[in-house]
Amino acid sequence: MIMKSFSTLLAPLLLAGATAQAAIIYSSGFANSGVIPDGNPTGWSDTRTVGGLRPVIADVNVSFTLSGGANGDLVAYLNHGGEGGVTIQLLNRVGTGVGTAGTYQYVFGFSDAGFNNITLDQQAAGGVNIHGVSPATDGSYLPDGGSLNTFNDSNPNGNWTLSFFDLAGGNDPSTLTSWSLDITAVPEPVTWALGIFGVTMGVVLAVRRRASLRKLAVRLNAWMDAV
């Protein structure tokens, strides 16, 4: 009973201490100055290496700001681990298929220029998908086509690549000015278990030792009174 009660009490405290959140922002060093080639399926990408984080992903969010172009032209992906790693779709020509069939927007997507401080978060409040958002500014939304939870339980350290493709010409390129990763990482489960067990056993042994000393003191007092 003592061990169970202390485990219940200490587990959330240990796990809270074991959880670490890292917000990593990239705002310079972009290829082609961040300009995404217009109407070019070759696309544009930026790869960054993350290191020093705990080994298990519990949650990942990605944010970015773009200016210019037409949002409905863009497809975007986030990859972790390079070739053979995990890739999810973030954007899929937002606005296409939204509204009245046959209209310009329905066919070609939103004509808005830029995504201003957009966060894609699988736990976004309200569960609104970015695909139907116009204008896209200062908010958290579900990614368009993939789930960021796909990265969960993998190691956050290593290469992360953000890619954009402009699939419609028009001499109006989009430009990425910044992007960021917000990663919540935790130790491996066995580490948590050992930590909880070690602290719990230490507390239990200390309690038992104190109880034994108290019993011994009571017996000594009784013996001395009898003498």
Coordinates of all heavy atoms in Angstrom, one line a residue, residues 113-148:
A113 N -2.2 36.1 -50.4 CA -0.8 36.1 -50.5 C -0.2 35.9 -49.1 O -0.3 36.8 -48.3 CB -0.3 37.4 -51.1
G114 N 0.5 34.8 -48.9 CA 1.2 34.6 -47.6 C 0.5 33.9 -46.5 O -0.7 34.0 -46.3
F115 N 1.3 33.2 -45.7 CA 0.8 32.6 -44.4 C 1.6 33.4 -43.3 O 2.8 33.3 -43.2 CB 1.2 31.2 -44.3 CG 0.4 30.3 -45.3 CD1 0.9 30.1 -46.6 CD2 -0.8 29.7 -44.9 CE1 0.2 29.3 -47.5 CE2 -1.5 28.9 -45.8 CZ -1.0 28.7 -47.1
N116 N 0.8 34.1 -42.5 CA 1.5 34.9 -41.5 C 1.4 34.3 -40.1 O 0.4 34.2 -39.5 CB 0.8 36.3 -41.4 CG 1.5 37.3 -40.4 OD1 2.7 37.1 -40.2 ND2 0.8 38.2 -39.9
N117 N 2.6 33.8 -39.7 CA 2.7 33.2 -38.3 C 1.7 32.1 -38.1 O 0.9 32.1 -37.1 CB 2.6 34.3 -37.2 CG 3.0 33.8 -35.9 OD1 3.9 33.0 -35.7 ND2 2.4 34.4 -34.8
I118 N 1.7 31.1 -39.0 CA 0.8 30.0 -38.9 C 1.4 28.8 -38.1 O 2.6 28.5 -38.4 CB 0.4 29.5 -40.3 CG1 -0.5 30.6 -41.0 CG2 -0.4 28.2 -40.3 CD1 -1.7 31.0 -40.2
T119 N 0.7 28.2 -37.2 CA 1.2 27.1 -36.5 C 0.3 25.9 -36.9 O -0.9 25.9 -36.8 CB 1.1 27.2 -35.0 OG1 2.0 28.3 -34.6 CG2 1.6 26.0 -34.3
L120 N 0.9 24.8 -37.3 CA 0.2 23.5 -37.6 C 0.4 22.6 -36.4 O 1.6 22.3 -36.0 CB 0.7 22.9 -38.9 CG 0.5 23.8 -40.1 CD1 1.0 23.1 -41.3 CD2 -1.0 24.1 -40.3
D121 N -0.7 22.3 -35.7 CA -0.7 21.6 -34.4 C -1.8 20.5 -34.4 O -2.9 20.9 -34.7 CB -0.9 22.7 -33.4 CG -1.0 22.1 -32.0 OD1 -0.9 20.9 -31.8 OD2 -1.1 22.9 -31.0
Q122 N -1.4 19.3 -34.2 CA -2.4 18.2 -34.2 C -3.5 18.4 -33.1 O -4.5 17.8 -33.1 CB -1.7 16.9 -34.1 CG -2.4 15.8 -34.8 CD -2.6 16.1 -36.3 OE1 -1.7 16.5 -37.0 NE2 -3.8 15.9 -36.8
Q123 N -3.1 19.2 -32.1 CA -4.1 19.5 -31.0 C -4.6 20.9 -31.1 O -5.0 21.6 -30.1 CB -3.4 19.3 -29.6 CG -3.1 17.9 -29.2 CD -1.9 17.3 -30.0 OE1 -0.9 18.0 -30.1 NE2 -2.1 16.1 -30.5
A124 N -4.7 21.5 -32.3 CA -5.1 22.9 -32.5 C -6.5 23.1 -31.9 O -7.4 22.2 -32.1 CB -5.1 23.2 -34.0
A125 N -6.7 24.2 -31.2 CA -8.0 24.5 -30.6 C -9.1 24.6 -31.7 O -8.9 25.3 -32.7 CB -7.9 25.8 -29.8
G126 N -10.2 23.9 -31.5 CA -11.3 23.9 -32.4 C -11.1 22.9 -33.6 O -12.1 22.6 -34.3
G127 N -9.9 22.4 -33.7 CA -9.7 21.3 -34.8 C -10.0 21.8 -36.2 O -10.4 21.1 -37.0
V128 N -9.6 23.1 -36.5 CA -9.8 23.7 -37.8 C -8.7 23.3 -38.7 O -7.5 23.5 -38.4 CB -10.0 25.2 -37.8 CG1 -10.2 25.8 -39.1 CG2 -11.2 25.6 -36.9
N129 N -9.0 22.7 -39.9 CA -7.9 22.4 -40.9 C -7.5 23.6 -41.7 O -8.4 24.4 -42.1 CB -8.5 21.3 -41.8 CG -7.3 20.6 -42.6 OD1 -6.7 21.2 -43.4 ND2 -7.2 19.3 -42.4
I130 N -6.2 23.8 -41.9 CA -5.7 24.9 -42.6 C -6.2 25.0 -44.0 O -6.3 26.0 -44.7 CB -4.2 24.9 -42.6 CG1 -3.6 26.2 -43.2 CG2 -3.6 23.7 -43.4 CD1 -3.8 27.4 -42.3
H131 N -6.7 23.9 -44.6 CA -7.2 23.8 -46.0 C -8.3 24.8 -46.3 O -8.4 25.3 -47.4 CB -7.6 22.4 -46.3 CG -7.9 22.2 -47.8 ND1 -6.9 22.1 -48.7 CD2 -9.0 22.3 -48.5 CE1 -7.4 22.0 -49.9 NE2 -8.7 22.1 -49.9
G132 N -9.1 25.1 -45.2 CA -10.3 25.9 -45.5 C -10.1 27.3 -44.9 O -11.1 28.1 -44.8
V133 N -8.9 27.7 -44.6 CA -8.7 29.0 -43.9 C -8.2 30.1 -44.8 O -7.2 30.0 -45.5 CB -7.6 28.9 -42.7 CG1 -7.4 30.2 -42.1 CG2 -8.1 27.9 -41.7
S134 N -9.0 31.2 -44.8 CA -8.6 32.4 -45.6 C -9.2 33.6 -45.0 O -10.4 33.7 -44.7 CB -9.2 32.2 -47.0 OG -9.0 33.4 -47.8
P135 N -8.3 34.6 -44.7 CA -6.8 34.6 -44.8 C -6.2 33.8 -43.7 O -6.8 33.7 -42.6 CB -6.5 36.1 -44.7 CG -7.6 36.7 -43.8 CD -8.8 35.9 -44.1
A136 N -5.0 33.3 -44.0 CA -4.3 32.5 -43.0 C -3.3 33.3 -42.3 O -2.2 33.6 -42.8 CB -3.6 31.4 -43.8
T137 N -3.7 33.7 -41.0 CA -2.8 34.5 -40.2 C -3.0 34.3 -38.7 O -4.1 34.1 -38.3 CB -3.0 36.0 -40.5 OG1 -2.2 36.8 -39.8 CG2 -4.5 36.4 -40.2
D138 N -1.9 34.3 -38.0 CA -1.9 34.2 -36.5 C -2.8 33.2 -36.0 O -3.8 33.6 -35.2 CB -2.2 35.6 -36.0 CG -1.1 36.6 -36.3 OD1 0.1 36.2 -36.3 OD2 -1.4 37.8 -36.6
G139 N -2.6 31.9 -36.2 CA -3.5 30.9 -35.6 C -2.9 29.6 -35.6 O -1.8 29.3 -36.3
S140 N -3.5 28.6 -34.9 CA -3.1 27.2 -34.9 C -4.2 26.4 -35.6 O -5.4 26.5 -35.3 CB -2.9 26.8 -33.4 OG -1.9 27.5 -32.8
Y141 N -3.7 25.5 -36.5 CA -4.6 24.7 -37.3 C -4.1 23.3 -37.5 O -2.9 23.1 -37.3 CB -4.8 25.4 -38.7 CG -5.2 26.8 -38.6 CD1 -4.2 27.9 -38.8 CD2 -6.5 27.2 -38.4 CE1 -4.6 29.2 -38.7 CE2 -6.9 28.5 -38.3 CZ -5.9 29.5 -38.5 OH -6.3 30.9 -38.4
L142 N -5.0 22.4 -37.9 CA -4.6 21.1 -38.3 C -3.8 21.1 -39.6 O -4.2 21.9 -40.5 CB -5.8 20.2 -38.4 CG -6.6 19.9 -37.1 CD1 -7.8 19.1 -37.5 CD2 -5.8 19.3 -36.0
P143 N -2.8 20.3 -39.8 CA -2.2 20.2 -41.1 C -3.1 19.7 -42.2 O -4.1 19.0 -41.9 CB -1.0 19.3 -40.9 CG -1.4 18.5 -39.7 CD -2.2 19.4 -38.8
D144 N -2.8 20.1 -43.4 CA -3.6 19.7 -44.6 C -3.1 18.5 -45.2 O -2.3 18.5 -46.2 CB -3.6 20.9 -45.5 CG -4.5 20.8 -46.7 OD1 -5.2 19.8 -46.8 OD2 -4.5 21.6 -47.6
G145 N -3.6 17.3 -44.8 CA -3.3 16.1 -45.5 C -2.5 15.1 -44.7 O -2.4 13.9 -45.0
G146 N -1.8 15.5 -43.6 CA -1.1 14.6 -42.8 C -1.3 14.8 -41.3 O -1.9 15.7 -40.9
S147 N -0.7 13.9 -40.5 CA -0.9 14.0 -39.0 C 0.5 14.2 -38.4 O 1.4 13.3 -38.6 CB -1.6 12.8 -38.4 OG -1.5 12.9 -37.0
L148 N 0.7 15.2 -37.6 CA 2.0 15.4 -37.0 C 2.2 14.4 -35.9 O 3.4 14.1 -35.5 CB 2.0 16.8 -36.3 CG 2.2 18.0 -37.3 CD1 1.7 19.3 -36.7 CD2 3.6 18.1 -37.9

